[in-house]
Structure formats: C-alpha cells, structure tokens
Amino acid sequence: MKNLFNLLFLLLFSSGLYAQVGHTFPEGTFPNEHNIVGAQYPRIGEDGRTHFRVFAPDAQKVEISFRGEMKKGEDGFWTLSSEKPEVVGFHYYQIIIDGVSVADPNGKPYFGMGKWVSGIEIPEGKEGDYYRPKEGVAKGAVREEWYYSNIRKEWRKSLVYTPAEYDQKKDKKYPVLYLQHGMGENETSWANQGKMNFIMDNLIAEGKATPMIVVMDNGNIESFQPRPGEDPNEARMRFGADFGSILLEEIIPNIESKYRVLTDRENRAMAGLSWGGLQTFNITLNNLDKFAYIGGFSGAGRIDTNQLDTAYNGAFKDPKAFNEKVKVFFIGIGSEENPERTKSLSESLKNAGINNIYYESPGTAHEFLTWRRCLKEFAPLIFK
Amino acid sequence: MKNLFNLLFLLLFSSGLYAQVGHTFPEGTFPNEHNIVGAQYPRIGEDGRTHFRVFAPDAQKVEISFRGEMKKGEDGFWTLSSEKPEVVGFHYYQIIIDGVSVADPNGKPYFGMGKWVSGIEIPEGKEGDYYRPKEGVAKGAVREEWYYSNIRKEWRKSLVYTPAEYDQKKDKKYPVLYLQHGMGENETSWANQGKMNFIMDNLIAEGKATPMIVVMDNGNIESFQPRPGEDPNEARMRFGADFGSILLEEIIPNIESKYRVLTDRENRAMAGLSWGGLQTFNITLNNLDKFAYIGGFSGAGRIDTNQLDTAYNGAFKDPKAFNEKVKVFFIGIGSEENPERTKSLSESLKNAGINNIYYESPGTAHEFLTWRRCLKEFAPLIFK
C-alpha cells in the first residue's frame, strides 16, 4: 500500500512539465490563471506579453498554436515569448509536438475548436471586475441536469445556473435565459470560458439584472465529420440541425418540470455566441410565440438585408407587430472582428423599422471577452 | 463573417485525429465512451481488448502510457492494440508524443495523476447498471458551489450533489456525506470518473440509500512540487495538510448555511478514496464529535495495528465508546491491489473490539471501479 502511494507520488512529481528548481521566471510575470495548482507556465507579463515553456527533450519541433515555433534550450525546455502584448481577454491555445496538436497538461482544459484545448487569459484591470467573484456577493450555482433525449436516443445534460436566492425564496418562480455557445464549443463553455456565473452574480447583486435562471446545453449535435461522400458544407449544416427541436421539445419542458420557472414567452429569452447566435436567430425568429428576448453575440451575419420580408418566415414583415412581440433584439460584436457587416445589418433593420440594440465591444475579437461583455450588456435589459 | 465561420470549420474538420473516411474499424469494437462526439478512437473490443490510433506523421515515437509503443503506418497513423483484454472498469491513459505525455484531444479530460489526462472505460455488463443513468429514475444534480477561503486566501469551489427530490421537498433537511478523491485528483473526480451522481440516483430510487447531500471538494491544497531544498516526502505531507481545517472551518459551515441540511454528528458522514481515505481517517477519527459514519476506500493502510491505543489521540482506546459513536466504519479495497494489509487491519480492529465492515471488490485494482463499488456498498449503510 505504501509502495503504491510512493509510486503514484513519483509519477506525479516526475512530471517534467513543471518548472525545475532554480529556474528564474521572466521579470514582472505571473502564471496564467488557468494553470493547474503549482504549474508556473505559461506566464503572462504585466506588459501583456505571454511566455510559454515546455519540457520536451526528445521532440524535433514544438509550437504553440496561433503563436509560432518554440526554441529549444540545452536543458530540454522549449520556450517562446511573444514579441508584442497579446490582446486582452481569453485565448485558446494548443501545444503542437512534432505536428500533433494537444492541450497543455499543465492547464485546465476547455472545450473549444471541437476538442479539448487550453486557454490563456490576459487579464483586464478593474474593468474586468464584472466577471470576477467578489466577496460579499452571494454566489449562484451551476448544476448539471441530466435528461434522456428521445430525439437523439441518448442521455444529455444541460448546465443550469440558478441565482443565489433560488434556494432561499422557495416559492418564487424565475424567468429563463437559454444561452448557447459557439461552433466547436459545448455546454460547459459559457460557465468555464465565459464566467457567466460570476457575471450574473455581480449583475444581480448590484440590482442591474433581474434574478433569472440560465440554461446552457450542447448545440453541436453531431460530429463535424462528413459521412462518406457527403459535402463538408452539408455536414456543417447537419451537425447542429436537431438542436431546435431538442430545445423546444425536450430541454425547455425538462427545465420547466424541474425548476420553479415562469413559462410564458415574456419570461423566456434566448441568446448565443457565433454559431449559437445563428441558432438563436433560427429558433427564436421562427418561434416568436415562445421567446420575447433575443441576443446574437458575434453571430448575426447571415440575415440577408435585401430579403428582410421573406427572412424567417416573414418575422420582419410587420415591424410594428415585431416590435411589440420582441422586447429586446440585441446584436453584439467585437470591434476587432470586422464588425461592419453586423453593424450595417443593425442599421438596415432599424431603417426597416425593426427595433434593435447594436453593441460593439471595443478592442476585442471573435473571442470570449467580447461575449462576456455582450452578456453583461444584454442580461440587464431582459425580463424588465 | 462567413469567412470566419469557414475558417473555423476548416480548423475543426482538418483535425487529423479523426479517423479518415474509408478506414475499417477492427471487428467487434466500439468507441470508448469518453471520446468526444464523433471521435472513433480509442476503441474497445467486445473481448475487452483496447485499440488506439493516433495521427502523427512527423513524430518519431508515440506511446500510450501504461501500455507501450505504437507502430507507425505508411499513412501517418500510429496504432496499438492490446494483446489481452484490459481489466474491467475505468483506466487513465495519456498519449506520449516523442516523450511528452499529454491528454488525448479526442477524449474528455479527467483530472488524475496531478494533471488532466484521458480515460478509457472497459464496460461491465449488467452488473455495471448501478452506475449508469436509467430511464424512470429521477436525476439529482451536481452543482458548483463557490466560496471564499480565508485560510487559503482564494476562491474555491465545492461540488454538491443534491438528490432529485431536493427541489420538490422544500422544507425537508438532509444528511450530508463529505466524499473525497485521491492524490492527484480533484473535486471533479467523483462525479466524472466515479459517476457518483448516477450511483446515488439509482440507490435512492431503489430505496436502498437514504436521500442525502454529497459534498466533494479539492483536498490537494498545494502543489506537489517541493520548495527549494525541501524533501519530496515533506512536500507530499504538506500538500494536503490544510484540508482538515478548510473542511471543518469553511466547507461545512458554507454548506450548512446554503443548503437544507441536518447539522448534528449523526447526520454527517465522511469517506474518501486512497489519499482521500487517509484524510478521512485523520479528520473523522480526530473529530468524532462531528462525524458518525466513516468510509475508507483503498486508503486505510497506514494505521499501525501495534499501536491502536495511541492512534488518532486514542480514538480506539475504548472500543465500546467507539462503537457507540461510530455507526459505520467501512474499510473497502480491490482484490487486485494487494488487499492483505487492509484486510488484516480490519481483522485486528475487530479483534480489538472495534466494529468495522470490510469489503473487497472482486477483480478490481487501485482504480475507480473499486471505488464506485465501495460507494455502492457504503451509501446504503449510512444515515439509517
């Protein structure tokens, strides 16, 4: 028994990816907040530069995805420091070892890009406090809620955020926001990468957002891989296709049977980022009897403004009726992800009499900092 | 915008780790249940053999940890099939690419061995139904519960299982089991690797276990890495040292303030696996005023039976008093992990008049199938 512990400990301790004793860290740097306990790399400088270090004495080539090749030292450690500061916010990365892209074993894995990858966070200053846990702010909880899908013939799970007061106010019923991730992400992405629970906790504590339940599910239903002979574009359309019926016929009824929720359309919202924004538009605009609040975060680009009358079965045809039904129609995007088309969509809709709110996140790209900010802007507007 | 989607899609689709079209799977095999959607490898045969396949055309050597070197094919895919069936249950593995051990990007990552690694499951037959979700069985939920630790000066989280009826029976209070993971694992391990939620759901639905709340937290408080000049053995002792005070002074009060729980010792249990079993014994046996039920799963090996009188501040000195206080003292282990010492400990304790229950899981090693079974045996005994 004791030997087993010792063996296990040796396995743990001999992990070469830890920095060795005696190594000096680049000045003014701190470990990435997503590192596992004790892991010192990657590090981020106070100047926003990133520093990677990987022990791989037998590899021929080691790269960090989106960043470049590492340089091998005589001690078997490969290093790479960015020349310039990286953009503030959360970025995915992988280590590429002799051509194989993998997650960093020293970091918490995030589901993104269709697989488990790593994340590095270039912290914001005080302006990022809205997504950080704060002392004195009551914490809601995110729970896994399992259900059987008859449509998919499989067990699936929703992640459900309940506000801090939910367990105390035992007879109160709550409105629900259905909140979807992007392509290649999954139901864990909003809570993990997006820190949605802390954003909601803080907004609710400040009285800015109405206490609400938030439901996140996996909108990527099938594999990205085309079936034999299938066009990759068709596969792409297929892989999220079932989600509308799963949401309407299975997820919503499951949530409404298990949680104390208000079930009329005025108490139901949906929002999504990127691909999840497209799903949101497809589902809500075709089902305006079920949703009164709509948010697209970096995911509104596919509405053809020349054919507004026929889009979504004519949802935009009668602006007055639309504006009465849809209490908030939110279109957000980052300033660094070519926002022009989205901005002009918002304007075309306004010109056509369709009320909508355009929000542009300054200095952020097609990444989670844009979407954290979108949630911070969107959540206070709904259920009011 | 459309270009961005296309680029993202290409990134997803070009992931070489997917099996290519036209490849034939070994007969009678199915994908590992922990693979991400669409990933075909690793596969498990109906005969219990495992089959690994990794695309790494530029690597010089690819291995699967605990299993051996892979063989490179002309198509750039490396393959390895086990010669014999693997032991039934859940096993950790890593891909080792030119000497660097990493998690399989095609699989769900599990925190074990001090980092994020992969898992392969050799399924049991019908006898494994107790840890599978069943239709008709109401599902409890596992939620993240954040709290600020003054001891550690950091935000930490407990995972909290609430039984399915918790949200319905709004005035009922519940007993609590504190359930700890092993060395190098974390608060997610019991729910992820251990499937504890389904085990509890099924036991409760069958009327075998009393509905209870189960709290899991991270008992590995510090890095495994020794401080400069520190003995690795000291580091090992240090890294979980704070956990007792965090549990007693922070976790338990936090849970008791937020959940409807019974707070007397007769409604509080603690159990743990491996290293978590040692922590359980240290914490409960030194605090018998706070715990009435104790479980050690593969983690009881360090009690010196020659010094029973002085162990744990004399907890065993008065067997009659001990037996009155400790309603269940459970000692479990797998038959394939050298159970002799643990078995003789149970017998020595019995000879000394200390009631205890010894359970040996047939055919399983120092792995999660042993611990799932231990939980299945232990949970029905407590709070009765």
Side-chain angles (χ1 to χ4, degrees), chain B residues 281 284-285 292-296 300 303 316 322-323 326-331 345 349 354-358 378:
Chain B
F281 282 18
T284 57
L285 293 172
Y293 303 90
I294 302 169
I303 300 176
F316 299 129
F322 182 91
N323 294 339
V326 180
K327 310 293 176 194
V328 173
F329 187 23
F330 180 98
I331 298 173
L345 168 67
L349 287 167
I354 303 289
N355 293 347
N356 69 83
I357 292 162
Y358 176 74
F378 178 69

Side-chain angles (χ1 to χ4, degrees), chain B residues 67-257:
Chain B
R67 288 167 184 81
E69 269 189 53
M70 306 186 82
K71 206 177 149 187
K72 189 179 181 179
E74 285 178 6
D75 54 2
F77 280 90
W78 298 69
T79 53
L80 178 68
S81 295
S82 65
E83 283 177 27
K84 293 183 201 165
E86 292 204 31
V87 174
V88 75
F90 177 95
H91 316 302
Y92 291 126
Y93 76 94
Q94 291 182 288
I95 301 176
I96 308 173
I97 301 158
D98 286 336
V100 185
S101 297
V102 296
D104 187 342
N106 269 6
K108 175 174 174 163
Y110 292 90
F111 199 78
M113 307 178 0
K115 47 190 172 175
W116 292 91
V117 297
S118 303
I120 193 165
E121 182 98 23
I122 317 297
E124 286 191 294
K126 256 193 89 58
E127 67 273 27
D129 281 351
Y130 71 92
Y131 57 74
R132 298 190 182 115
K134 285 178 200 161
E135 276 193 79
V137 167
K139 298 281 167 290
V142 175
R143 51 181 108 173
E144 294 189 352
E145 191 65 56
W146 287 85
Y147 63 97
Y148 187 78
S149 166
N150 277 310
I151 295 174
R152 298 296 307 168
K153 307 289 177 216
E154 66 185 10
W155 286 95
R156 295 173 51 89
K157 66 171 188 279
S158 307
L159 289 198
V160 182
Y161 167 86
T162 48
E165 63 170 47
Y166 184 80
D167 284 331
Q168 269 69 53
K169 302 197 170 170
K170 293 183 206 169
D171 295 309
K172 185 174 168 184
K173 291 185 172 183
Y174 292 83
V176 185
L177 164 62
Y178 293 87
L179 185 63
Q180 284 302 119
H181 59 82
M183 184 187 282
E185 296 169 345
N186 72 10
E187 74 280 3
T188 64
S189 302
W190 263 110
N192 285 345
Q193 290 97 308
K195 297 175 188 267
M196 61 73 60
N197 53 321
F198 298 132
I199 295 173
M200 295 305 300
D201 291 342
N202 292 333
L203 288 172
I204 291 169
E206 289 170 42
K208 288 182 181 163
T210 301
M212 67 184 82
I213 287 172
V214 184
V215 176
M216 299 150 282
D217 209 292
N218 189 345
N220 292 333
I221 304 302
E222 293 204 7
S223 164
F224 308 114
Q225 190 181 15
R227 292 168 181 159
E230 187 180 35
D231 183 312
N233 277 308
E234 279 173 38
R236 183 176 58 183
M237 287 302 100
R238 177 173 49 78
F239 85 91
D242 275 359
F243 186 66
S245 47
I246 296 175
L247 178 67
L248 297 174
E249 295 164 33
E250 301 190 322
I251 297 169
I252 292 177
N254 184 51
I255 295 299
E256 295 185 349
S257 76

Side-chain angles (χ1 to χ4, degrees), chain A residues 1-2 4-6 8-9 11-13 15 17-21 36-38 40 54-60 66 94 97-109 111-116 133-137 139-148 150 155 157 162 166-168 170-171 183-184 192 197-198 218 220-229 232-233 235-236 239 257-260 274-275 278 298-302 333 337 341-342 366, chain B residues 1-2 4-6 8-9 11-13 15 17-21 36-38 40 54-56 58-60 66 94 97-109 111-116 133-137 139-148 150 155 157 162 166-168 170-171 183-184 192 197-198 218 220-229 232-233 235-236 239 257-260 274-275 278 298-302 333 337-338 341-342 366:
Chain A
M1 197 63 208
K2 202 178 165 188
L4 226 158
F5 277 116
N6 285 344
L8 189 55
F9 184 68
L11 277 172
L12 294 171
F13 179 60
S15 158
L17 287 164
Y18 282 88
Q20 79 273 55
V21 174
I36 60 176
V37 177
Q40 296 296 336
V54 173
F55 186 64
D58 299 328
Q60 298 165 287
F66 310 126
Q94 291 182 288
I97 302 157
D98 287 336
V100 185
S101 297
V102 296
D104 187 342
N106 269 6
K108 174 172 174 164
F111 200 78
M113 306 175 6
K115 47 190 175 177
W116 293 90
K134 285 179 200 161
E135 277 194 79
V137 167
K139 297 282 168 287
V142 174
R143 51 180 107 173
E144 294 189 351
E145 192 64 58
W146 289 85
Y147 63 97
Y148 187 78
N150 277 310
W155 286 93
K157 65 170 188 280
T162 49
Y166 184 81
D167 284 331
Q168 270 68 53
K170 293 184 206 168
D171 295 308
M183 186 188 279
N192 286 346
N197 53 321
F198 299 132
N218 189 344
N220 291 334
I221 304 303
E222 294 204 6
S223 164
F224 308 113
Q225 191 181 15
R227 293 168 181 158
N233 276 308
R236 181 175 59 181
F239 85 90
S257 76
K258 289 191 182 156
Y259 291 81
R260 301 190 311 276
S274 190
W275 170 259
L278 294 187
S298 308
R302 282 187 177 171
I333 195 153
E337 52 169 324
R341 198 162 176 273
T342 301
H366 200 70
Chain B
M1 198 62 207
K2 204 177 163 188
L4 227 158
F5 277 116
N6 285 343
L8 189 55
F9 184 68
L11 276 171
L12 294 170
F13 178 61
S15 157
L17 287 165
Y18 282 87
Q20 76 276 54
V21 174
I36 59 175
V37 177
Q40 296 296 336
V54 173
F55 185 65
D58 299 328
Q60 297 165 288
F66 310 126
Q94 291 182 288
I97 301 158
D98 286 336
V100 185
S101 297
V102 296
D104 187 342
N106 269 6
K108 175 174 174 163
F111 199 78
M113 307 178 0
K115 47 190 172 175
W116 292 91
K134 285 178 200 161
E135 276 193 79
V137 167
K139 298 281 167 290
V142 175
R143 51 181 108 173
E144 294 189 352
E145 191 65 56
W146 287 85
Y147 63 97
Y148 187 78
N150 277 310
W155 286 95
K157 66 171 188 279
T162 48
Y166 184 80
D167 284 331
Q168 269 69 53
K170 293 183 206 169
D171 295 309
M183 184 187 282
N192 285 345
N197 53 321
F198 298 132
N218 189 345
N220 292 333
I221 304 302
E222 293 204 7
S223 164
F224 308 114
Q225 190 181 15
R227 292 168 181 159
N233 277 308
R236 183 176 58 183
F239 85 91
S257 76
K258 289 191 181 155
Y259 291 81
R260 303 189 312 274
S274 190
W275 169 259
L278 294 186
S298 309
R302 282 186 178 174
I333 195 153
E337 52 169 326
N338 305 319
R341 196 161 178 275
T342 302
H366 200 69

Side-chain angles (χ1 to χ4, degrees), chain B residues 33-74:
Chain B
E33 71 167 83
H34 306 288
N35 292 359
I36 59 175
V37 177
Q40 296 296 336
Y41 282 88
R43 300 177 76 81
I44 296 122
E46 282 154 16
D47 57 3
R49 290 172 63 214
T50 53
H51 305 269
F52 294 87
R53 190 162 187 268
V54 173
F55 185 65
D58 299 328
Q60 297 165 288
K61 186 178 175 185
V62 183
E63 303 153 88
I64 302 295
S65 62
F66 310 126
R67 288 167 184 81
E69 269 189 53
M70 306 186 82
K71 206 177 149 187
K72 189 179 181 179
E74 285 178 6

